[in-house]
Amino acid sequence: MIPFIDLAAQQARLKPRIDAAIQKVLAHGAYVMGPEVRLFEEQLAAFGRARFALSCANGTDALALPLLAWEIGAGDAVFCPSFTFAATPEVVPWTGATPVFVDILPDTCNLDPGHLEASIEAVKAQGRLRPAAVIAVDLFGQPADYPAIAKICRRHGLKLLADSAQGFGCTLGGEQPLSWADAAATSFFPAKPLGCYGDGGAVLTDDAALAERIDSLRVHGKATASDVNGRPLAHDPKYLNTRIGMNSRLDTLQAAILIEKLAIFGEEIEQRQRVARRYSEGLAGHVLQVPQVIEGGLSTWAQYVIEHRDRDGLAEHLKAGGVPTAVYYPVPMHRQAPYAGFPTGPGGLPVSEAKSATVLALPMHPYLAADVQDRIIEGVRGYNG
Ligand SMILES: *Cc1c(COP(=O)(O)O)cnc(C)c1O
C-alpha cells in the first residue's frame, strides 16, 4: 500500500536534527513551558506574520481559547460551516453559545459569504440569539474568502476566527488569513501540513489584549500583567486566578520537534504545489471536479480532494490497486446526531450535503514521488464505474 501521508519520508530527512533537539530537552528537563516553547512561538509568529503566537495542547483548544477570551456564551450565535471536521462546531456549545451552520461554495468547499449574510440576517430577524462570531475554515488547506467574510463581520460587529488547522501557511493575494481575521487557530496533529509527534496547537493574533487573556486561560486563568496592574502581590501570580481557565499547553518536546519542522515548512508548501499541480494536470476531465482554488489563493494542500459520481466504487478500485484514499467528510456536521438540533441558515445546506457524497481524498504529502503519483493518476483514470 502506498502511504496516504508519508511522515517517514520527512522524518528521514530531519532525523539527526530532531534526535538532537529531543536529547537537548531531555538534558535540561523543562518539559512544560520550557525554552523551546517560547522560541517556537516567536518563530511561528514570524512565519504567520502575527504579533503574537500562543501555543496550546491541540487545535481544538486553539479554537476554543479565542471564543472563551471574547466571553462568547449562552445566547450567542457563532456561524460556521457544517462541511468540516467536528472540532470547528464542537467548541461553540462548550462556551454555552449556539453554532449556526452555513453552507459552502460548490467550487472551493469553503464558507459561502452570501449564505453567511443571509444566515446572520435570519438570526437577527428571529431575535432569539445574538450574532457574535464567525469561524471560517481553510478547508483542505485553501483560504476561505476572507475579504468578503471580513466585510460581513465588520458590518454586523462579529468577531472573525480563522480555523486554519488544515490551512496554516495558506495565503490569499499573498496575505495570510490573519490579515482579515481577529485570530487564527492551527493544529499540529501529525497529519496536518505542519504536524508534531503528538497533539499540539496554536492561536495567532495581532491583538495584545486577546493574547494576554489567552495566555491566562491556557494556564488556569492565572493573573495577567493587566490584572495585577503593577500592584504588589503577596504570592506568585500563578496562584492568583482571575478567570476560569483550563490546562492547555504545548509540550516542550513537541515545540523542539516543531522548530525543526517549521524550518522546512515553507519549502514543503512549495513541494505540495508541485504535487497538486501534477495531480490536476493528470486528472482534469477524468473526474467530476479537481480542486478549485480561490482566485489569488495558495493552498497548503492538507488534502487533495477530487469529486467523483461513483466515489465509493472508485475508492474500492484504488484500494485493490494499493492506493489508499479517505473521505472528508462523509456526514456534514448538521446531520450528526449531537448537532442536529442546532440551526442552519435559510434553505438548509444543499451544497454541503451534495459534497459529502462525491468527495475523495488522494494520497498527498510533499515527498510524493512522480512515479508513485503516476500510478495513482492511472488508477483514477482507469476506473470506469
Ligand atoms: C484537525 C482539525 C482541527 C482540530 O485539531 P486537533 O489538533 O485535532 O484538535 C480543527 N479544525 C479542523 C478543520 C481540523 O482539520
Side-chain angles (χ1 to χ4, degrees):
M1 203 61 136
I2 294 169
F4 187 68
I5 296 177
D6 192 353
L7 293 174
Q10 186 204 49
Q11 195 185 71
R13 176 179 174 188
L14 293 176
K15 195 162 192 321
R17 276 179 278 167
I18 286 180
D19 283 351
I22 290 173
Q23 285 309 318
K24 206 172 136 198
V25 175
L26 295 184
H28 70 54
Y31 300 123
V32 174
M33 289 293 180
E36 285 82 0
V37 174
R38 299 277 174 239
L39 180 60
F40 173 62
E41 287 179 337
E42 278 169 28
Q43 294 177 352
L44 189 72
F47 188 96
R49 295 173 227 154
R51 283 183 66 202
F52 307 97
L54 297 116
S55 60
C56 59
N58 53 66
T60 309
D61 285 357
L63 289 167
L65 284 162
L67 300 184
L68 293 169
W70 289 325
E71 297 182 332
I72 283 171
D76 289 335
V78 177
F79 301 82
C80 66
S82 169
F83 192 65
T84 180
F85 183 58
T88 312
E90 182 179 38
V91 296
V92 179
W94 282 7
T95 68
T98 302
V100 177
F101 291 112
V102 176
D103 213 359
I104 51 170
L105 295 165
D107 50 356
T108 62
C109 292
N110 271 334
L111 207 58
D112 176 347
H115 196 241
L116 172 63
E117 175 82 58
S119 304
I120 296 168
E121 293 293 358
V123 165
K124 281 188 162 173
Q126 222 185 16
R128 213 170 46 79
L129 297 169
R130 184 187 73 91
V134 171
I135 307 178
V137 177
D138 301 323
L139 198 72
F140 305 144
Q142 74 154 306
D145 186 352
Y146 285 103
I149 295 168
K151 211 160 127 191
I152 294 167
C153 288
R154 270 197 304 275
R155 191 160 59 239
H156 293 280
L158 310 189
K159 297 288 187 193
L160 177 53
L161 174 58
D163 179 347
S164 232
Q166 299 177 16
F168 180 67
C170 74
T171 54
L172 183 56
E175 301 286 333
Q176 297 192 22
L178 195 59
S179 292
W180 296 276
D182 297 290
T186 191
S187 161
F188 306 125
F189 181 79
K192 310 284 176 173
L194 180 61
C196 61
Y197 291 152
D199 277 307
V203 187
L204 287 85
T205 183
D206 291 332
D207 179 341
L210 178 66
E212 196 186 43
R213 280 196 298 274
I214 289 174
D215 184 37
S216 164
L217 285 166
R218 69 177 170 174
V219 190
H220 307 290
K222 70 174 179 186
T224 65
S226 304
D227 293 331
V228 176
N229 201 15
R231 276 179 293 138
L233 286 183
H235 35 241
D236 187 333
K238 212 159 82 176
Y239 301 110
L240 182 64
N241 305 95
T242 49
R243 54 184 64 71
I244 294 174
M246 63 211 271
N247 174 10
S248 188
R249 293 175 295 224
L250 181 71
D251 291 343
T252 308
L253 277 170
Q254 300 298 350
I257 291 161
L258 280 162
I259 287 169
E260 301 307 326
K261 291 201 179 204
L262 184 61
I264 60 163
F265 186 48
E267 192 189 308
E268 287 185 339
I269 292 176
E270 287 301 313
Q271 288 171 274
R272 286 173 180 273
Q273 307 309 313
R274 183 181 48 74
V275 174
R277 212 161 30 235
R278 240 172 141 267
Y279 263 142
S280 294
E281 282 163 12
L283 294 174
H286 296 271
V287 294
L288 213 54
Q289 187 170 287
V290 294
Q292 307 291 304
V293 176
I294 186 172
E295 173 140 16
L298 181 103
S299 176
T300 57
W301 299 105
Q303 308 294 345
Y304 185 90
V305 176
I306 58 169
E307 289 179 47
H308 200 280
R309 265 185 208 90
D310 181 20
R311 182 263 316 280
D312 296 331
L314 174 60
E316 274 307 308
H317 167 78
L318 289 172
K319 192 174 161 197
V323 177
T325 57
V327 175
Y328 308 114
Y329 294 93
V331 183
M333 294 309 298
H334 72 288
R335 292 287 184 204
Q336 307 266 9
Y339 296 87
F342 294 125
T344 62
L349 311 179
V351 182
S352 303
E353 287 171 14
K355 289 292 170 193
S356 57
T358 58
V359 289
L360 189 68
L362 301 178
M364 179 75 210
H365 58 86
Y367 305 97
L368 189 56
D371 58 327
V372 177
Q373 195 177 14
D374 287 342
R375 256 180 68 198
I376 301 166
I377 292 169
E378 284 314 309
V380 176
R381 289 170 62 142
Y383 180 63
N384 311 301

